[in-house]
Amino acid sequence: MLKKYGRLIWLFLILIVGFTGTIVASFLISKNTLINTLTEQSLPAISDNIYAEAQKLTLRPKAISTQLANDTVARDWLVNGEGDPEQISQFLKDIKNKNNALTSFLISDHTRHLYNGAGIAKTLNIAEPIDNWYFQLRSLKSPYEMNLNSDPLNHDLITISINSKVVDTSGKFIGLVGLWGINLNLDNLKNAINRYQQHSHSNIYFVNNQGDIVFSSAQGNDRRDNLNMVDGIKSIAKQILANQKNTATTLEYGSNGNTNLVSVRYLPEFGWHLIIDKNLDEELKPQLNVLLINVSIGLVLTLLLTIVGFFTIRRYEAKLEKSATTDTLTKLLNRHAFDFVFEQALLDAERSRQPMCTVLLDIDLFKKINDKQGHLVGNHVLREIAAISKRSLRESDVICRWGGEEFLILLKNCTLEKATSIAENLRTTIAANDFSRTTDLTRTRLSITVSMGVAECRDSETEDSVFERAEQALAQAKKNGRNSVYFSE
């Protein structure tokens, strides 16, 4: 089977490999296109939108900071020698209540007094570590500073602290005014994160410079986590925290057999890192399903094509075999095929010790029929004699066209006497037949006779020897007037 259909099997394998290779290559191209789209377009666009929403949170604190830095009440009071403490206390109460802050204060750089709504709260000392923050803020280059603070127990509660410089008319630093604990409304940011998480099937959250997850939506990560403690992403935690770019940068990590893309962006206004964590395998799942479907379809189609090819080849082979063993005109076995059948029958007869005979049939004066009636009539006669012979013989008997107008009949399990009787019966049937009834080629009665020679196969006799004796008997029949049956002893 492998030797006979080896090329067909190779063709099947080549089709499978080629079809699968094409689909896999298309999948890889689609995968690369998807990754490029995510890293260069989708994730950066989401990062830009989230960042824009986060920046809105700083608009009000920036306005407050500018207002404090330019307020003349605190400046004039400090320039005039810090006269009436009640005056500055009332001022601090007003800006605290107006901005809904937790506390407000003013520090005089001259006296180092820290004033709040109740008066002088304390006097700062450069030697006290707890007061170092003020002396560090004195060197600020910008007129104000904002700091975000998150509640370690409730990360949804984000507050902002504002420290603004107070300078005199010459620009000399004379003090610091501050508002601490201004609540931020995070609903819009939270809604934006939820919206983009659902749309992009990503996990979006913010981490501080220590890697703590400081804010995410209600549907986000466990915000008590630190990046260095989260499986998978901890492998790139250092890269994330080291990124100080205010543009989206894409990183990649693996976890539990999955591949994740991470878009990272640093928000300098907050001191936070915006992280968009997307499972690439989930995004590729539809394409992978399409790949499997295409491979399955390709396999089925290739198998069907191979099966069709197999049966087509088998049918073509059978047709070739039939044409190689069958006479085209009479549809009987040809001489080459009969030689093989006779050889096998001869062996079977020797083993079973059963008699077997051959009959050589020749159409009388066939050349005259061709010359007078034409070759089409001659062909019709050949076909009719083949059909009559097949109907007259037994099912086990074999007949072939031996050549020209001669036919050879093999009679299995048949004695010479019985074979002669069968041949005589066939001769009389042919002689009584009107060959014009089954053709439009001639309208007058067309009678044909045949001569036959019969020979019985002897033990250990060769094929040539049997046929020679049958030919001798046929020659005797022709010599004695034709239309007769003779046998060879």
Side-chain angles (χ1 to χ4, degrees):
M1 179 67 73
L2 288 176
K3 186 176 181 180
K4 190 174 183 180
Y5 298 104
R7 291 184 180 179
L8 186 63
I9 294 172
W10 274 110
L11 178 62
F12 172 75
L13 294 176
I14 290 171
L15 287 174
I16 287 294
V17 172
F19 194 85
T20 304
T22 301
I23 294 175
V24 170
S26 300
F27 171 76
L28 293 177
I29 292 173
S30 299
K31 178 181 178 181
N32 290 333
T33 301
L34 175 63
I35 292 175
N36 290 335
T37 301
L38 288 174
T39 57
E40 297 177 10
Q41 299 178 28
S42 300
L43 295 182
I46 295 173
S47 177
D48 289 341
N49 292 329
I50 297 293
Y51 178 54
E53 197 65 46
Q55 278 189 312
K56 293 179 183 179
L57 297 176
T58 66
L59 295 178
R60 178 169 168 261
K62 284 181 180 179
I64 296 172
S65 299
T66 302
Q67 179 185 355
L68 289 177
N70 296 308
D71 197 292
T72 59
V73 174
R75 182 190 66 188
D76 293 344
W77 188 79
L78 289 174
V79 169
N80 292 331
E82 307 174 34
D84 183 5
E86 182 61 29
Q87 181 184 0
I88 201 63
S89 295
Q90 187 59 46
F91 167 75
L92 293 174
K93 287 179 183 178
D94 289 342
I95 62 172
K96 171 190 171 184
N97 294 334
K98 181 179 178 181
N99 295 289
N100 195 25
L102 182 64
T103 184
S104 60
F105 61 88
L106 172 68
I107 301 175
S108 169
D109 195 56
H110 177 65
T111 62
R112 305 290 167 81
H113 291 329
L114 187 152
Y115 298 93
N116 60 21
I120 299 176
K122 66 177 293 188
T123 300
L124 303 180
N125 187 346
I126 195 171
E128 294 290 337
I130 195 173
D131 296 333
N132 283 342
W133 63 272
Y134 168 73
F135 298 99
Q136 292 174 356
L137 289 176
R138 290 175 75 245
S139 59
L140 275 177
K141 294 182 179 180
S142 61
Y144 62 86
E145 179 196 58
M146 293 190 305
N147 292 304
L148 276 89
N149 308 288
S150 59
D151 189 334
L153 298 179
N154 183 6
H155 285 225
D156 283 335
L157 182 59
I158 304 293
T159 61
I160 195 166
S161 299
I162 302 171
N163 299 298
S164 295
K165 287 182 177 181
V166 181
V167 297
D168 60 18
T169 54
S170 64
K172 179 184 176 182
F173 177 76
I174 59 175
L176 190 74
V177 63
L179 278 174
W180 288 5
I182 302 174
N183 290 329
L184 294 179
N185 185 351
L186 302 173
D187 289 343
N188 289 339
L189 181 59
K190 187 184 298 184
N191 291 336
I193 292 176
N194 280 336
R195 185 168 64 252
Y196 286 112
Q197 279 191 155
Q198 294 172 4
H199 177 71
S200 65
H201 306 288
S202 303
N203 202 5
I204 303 174
Y205 49 93
F206 296 89
V207 299
N208 60 21
N209 289 321
Q210 289 72 46
D212 298 317
I213 299 177
V214 294
F215 180 74
S216 66
S217 73
Q219 300 174 3
N221 266 28
D222 181 352
R223 288 156 293 169
R224 293 168 293 179
D225 284 344
N226 184 285
L227 287 187
N228 292 296
M229 304 293 291
V230 180
D231 288 340
I233 200 171
K234 66 182 180 181
S235 62
I236 59 170
K238 289 184 179 180
Q239 292 174 264
I240 292 175
L241 300 179
N243 178 57
Q244 298 293 315
K245 295 180 180 179
N246 191 21
T247 55
T249 301
T250 303
L251 302 173
E252 184 178 318
Y253 74 89
S255 177
N256 299 322
N258 294 321
T259 301
N260 286 54
L261 293 178
V262 178
S263 178
V264 182
R265 183 178 200 153
Y266 184 66
L267 282 61
E269 299 90 342
F270 297 86
W272 291 351
H273 299 268
L274 170 60
I275 295 177
I276 304 174
D277 191 348
K278 184 173 186 61
N279 188 319
L280 181 61
D281 296 287
E282 285 294 325
E283 196 72 17
L284 287 172
K285 190 173 290 184
Q287 296 187 41
L288 186 60
N289 290 336
V290 172
L291 169 68
L292 295 176
I293 292 172
N294 287 338
V295 169
S296 300
I297 292 173
L299 182 61
V300 171
L301 288 177
T302 304
L303 186 60
L304 288 176
L305 286 174
T306 305
I307 292 173
V308 170
F310 172 77
F311 282 107
T312 301
I313 292 173
R314 284 289 301 272
R315 184 178 178 183
Y316 184 69
E317 286 180 339
K319 189 175 181 180
L320 287 178
E321 289 175 358
K322 186 175 181 181
S323 64
T325 59
T326 305
D327 176 63
T328 306
L329 181 63
T330 62
K331 307 305 179 185
L332 300 177
L333 291 179
N334 59 26
R335 186 166 182 169
H336 176 74
F338 187 83
D339 285 342
F340 177 77
V341 173
F342 183 81
E343 184 179 346
Q344 291 296 118
L346 198 60
L347 293 174
D348 292 340
E350 289 180 357
R351 282 194 298 266
S352 62
R353 310 299 296 176
Q354 291 180 344
M356 184 172 69
C357 294
T358 59
V359 178
L360 188 58
L361 180 153
D362 183 82
I363 303 174
D364 294 334
L365 304 174
F366 183 72
K367 186 176 183 302
K368 287 185 178 182
I369 297 172
N370 279 336
D371 294 341
K372 185 177 179 180
Q373 303 284 348
H375 288 283
L376 291 179
V377 174
N379 290 342
H380 169 67
V381 170
L382 290 171
R383 285 193 293 267
E384 279 292 291
I385 288 179
I388 294 170
S389 299
K390 288 178 69 175
R391 290 196 298 268
S392 301
L393 297 174
R394 301 171 302 173
E395 188 175 346
S396 60
D397 299 333
V398 181
I399 181 174
C400 81
R401 186 181 179 190
W402 193 246
E405 67 273 18
E406 289 186 332
F407 296 85
L408 186 62
I409 302 170
L410 177 64
L411 303 174
K412 299 178 182 180
N413 191 20
C414 187
T415 62
L416 179 61
E417 182 181 358
K418 187 174 182 181
T420 303
S421 174
I422 292 174
E424 180 61 27
N425 179 64
L426 176 59
R427 183 194 66 77
T428 57
T429 301
I430 293 173
N433 184 65
D434 180 6
F435 284 80
S436 65
R437 290 185 303 170
T438 53
T439 181
D440 295 331
L441 297 173
T442 178
R443 298 190 178 279
T444 59
R445 179 180 176 84
L446 180 60
S447 298
I448 302 296
T449 62
V450 296
S451 300
M452 288 186 259
V454 183
E456 183 177 3
C457 299
R458 299 168 181 171
D459 292 341
S460 302
E461 188 176 20
T462 64
E463 179 181 351
D464 291 340
S465 175
V466 177
F467 294 160
E468 184 179 355
R469 290 192 296 109
E471 285 179 345
Q472 290 174 356
L474 174 62
Q476 189 68 30
K478 287 183 176 183
K479 183 179 179 180
N480 293 332
R482 301 184 178 86
N483 192 24
S484 59
V485 176
Y486 278 72
F487 60 87
S488 174
E489 294 290 349

